[in-house]
Amino acid sequence: MSKNPKVTVVEAYIKALCEHDLVAIDTLFDDQASVEDPVGSEPIQGKEAILGFYKTAFSSGISARADGAVRLAANHAVFPFIVELNPGNGEMRLEVIDQFSFNEDNKIIAMKAFWGQENISTP
Amino acid sequence: MSKNPKVTVVEAYIKALCEHDLVAIDTLFDDQASVEDPVGSEPIQGKEAILGFYKTAFSSGISARADGAVRLAANHAVFPFIVELNPGNGEMRLEVIDQFSFNEDNKIIAMKAFWGQENISTP
């Protein structure tokens, strides 16, 4: 069985976070996508704002890795992962669950990141 | 630091699934709550329907365990867990992420369960 295309997107997203690959991020999101990170904050809208958001994240030396299986339901992929910011230099570790909602072309149209103060640690 | 009350609810929920404790389920949900399990199916509405849903689940010999940290954002708790149905007798294993949304009394007002065919295995 070939891999579900939504799982492929999740894997490409985590790889892009690790490699600070803005071109890959550009490919994964729809032009009209929204990003709410964390959930409860003001969502950002549109490709330009989203690329700016990730550019800032990349400048903080972000890294990421999967923390469990991708769950698939309707047009959503929901997955637990670990984000590390500023590794080796005042490192901060976040436990996150992202919800990606997809359009019919399997581009991300909405990303919601669930994490809060309780999910931050400084090892 | 005392435990976040939403995390306490998640832990009580998983315990109630394991112990087939309908009284505990009754305590955790608001009377007007909705349950969408899996996401994409018709949500069920109200305490009576919800208790019926869990009664059916309990009759299938359900068990559950946490599969990672509870993520907290705004009024939501989102958490990965494993459900086992019919253990020891044609067992089915599901990898699920639940999203609980809470009211101000920390009762669950909406439960969404993210899982699909790709998250089912039969060990």
Side-chain angles (χ1 to χ4, degrees), chain B residues 11-38:
Chain B
E11 291 175 351
Y13 177 75
I14 290 178
K15 187 165 181 275
L17 290 187
C18 291
E19 296 181 354
H20 302 177
D21 185 347
L22 215 52
V23 173
I25 295 288
D26 190 13
T27 307
L28 298 174
F29 283 84
D30 184 84
D31 285 348
Q32 308 303 322
S34 65
V35 165
E36 186 178 353
D37 184 355

Side-chain angles (χ1 to χ4, degrees), chain A residues 1 4 38-40 67-74 76 78-82 95-97 99 113-119, chain B residues 1 4 38-40 67-74 76 78-82 95-97 99 113-119:
Chain A
M1 198 173 75
N4 184 290
V39 166
D67 184 35
V70 179
R71 276 68 163 180
L72 298 167
H76 311 286
V78 184
F79 58 99
F81 68 117
I82 307 285
E95 292 171 311
V96 185
I97 288 179
Q99 176 183 354
F114 293 90
W115 60 274
Q117 286 299 320
E118 290 86 347
N119 302 119
Chain B
M1 195 173 75
N4 183 290
V39 166
D67 185 35
V70 179
R71 275 70 164 179
L72 298 167
H76 311 286
V78 184
F79 58 99
F81 68 118
I82 307 285
E95 292 171 310
V96 185
I97 288 178
Q99 176 184 354
F114 293 90
W115 61 274
Q117 286 299 320
E118 291 86 347
N119 303 118

Side-chain angles (χ1 to χ4, degrees), chain B residues 33-92:
Chain B
S34 65
V35 165
E36 186 178 353
D37 184 355
V39 166
S41 65
E42 187 69 29
I44 61 174
Q45 300 280 353
K47 185 65 74 68
E48 191 179 352
I50 289 171
L51 292 180
F53 172 82
Y54 284 99
K55 197 172 174 184
T56 302
F58 292 168
S59 71
S60 71
I62 195 173
S63 186
R65 58 189 161 82
D67 185 35
V70 179
R71 275 70 164 179
L72 298 167
N75 66 319
H76 311 286
V78 184
F79 58 99
F81 68 118
I82 307 285
V83 168
E84 282 164 349
L85 296 172
N86 222 0
N89 183 18
E91 182 172 345
M92 200 167 84

Side-chain angles (χ1 to χ4, degrees), chain A residues 13-61:
Chain A
Y13 177 75
I14 290 177
K15 187 165 180 277
L17 291 186
C18 291
E19 298 180 352
H20 302 179
D21 185 346
L22 215 52
V23 174
I25 294 289
D26 190 12
T27 307
L28 298 174
F29 283 84
D30 185 82
D31 285 349
Q32 308 303 322
S34 65
V35 165
E36 187 179 352
D37 184 356
V39 166
S41 65
E42 186 68 28
I44 62 173
Q45 301 280 352
K47 184 66 75 69
E48 191 179 350
I50 289 170
L51 291 179
F53 172 81
Y54 284 100
K55 197 171 175 185
T56 302
F58 293 168
S59 71
S60 70

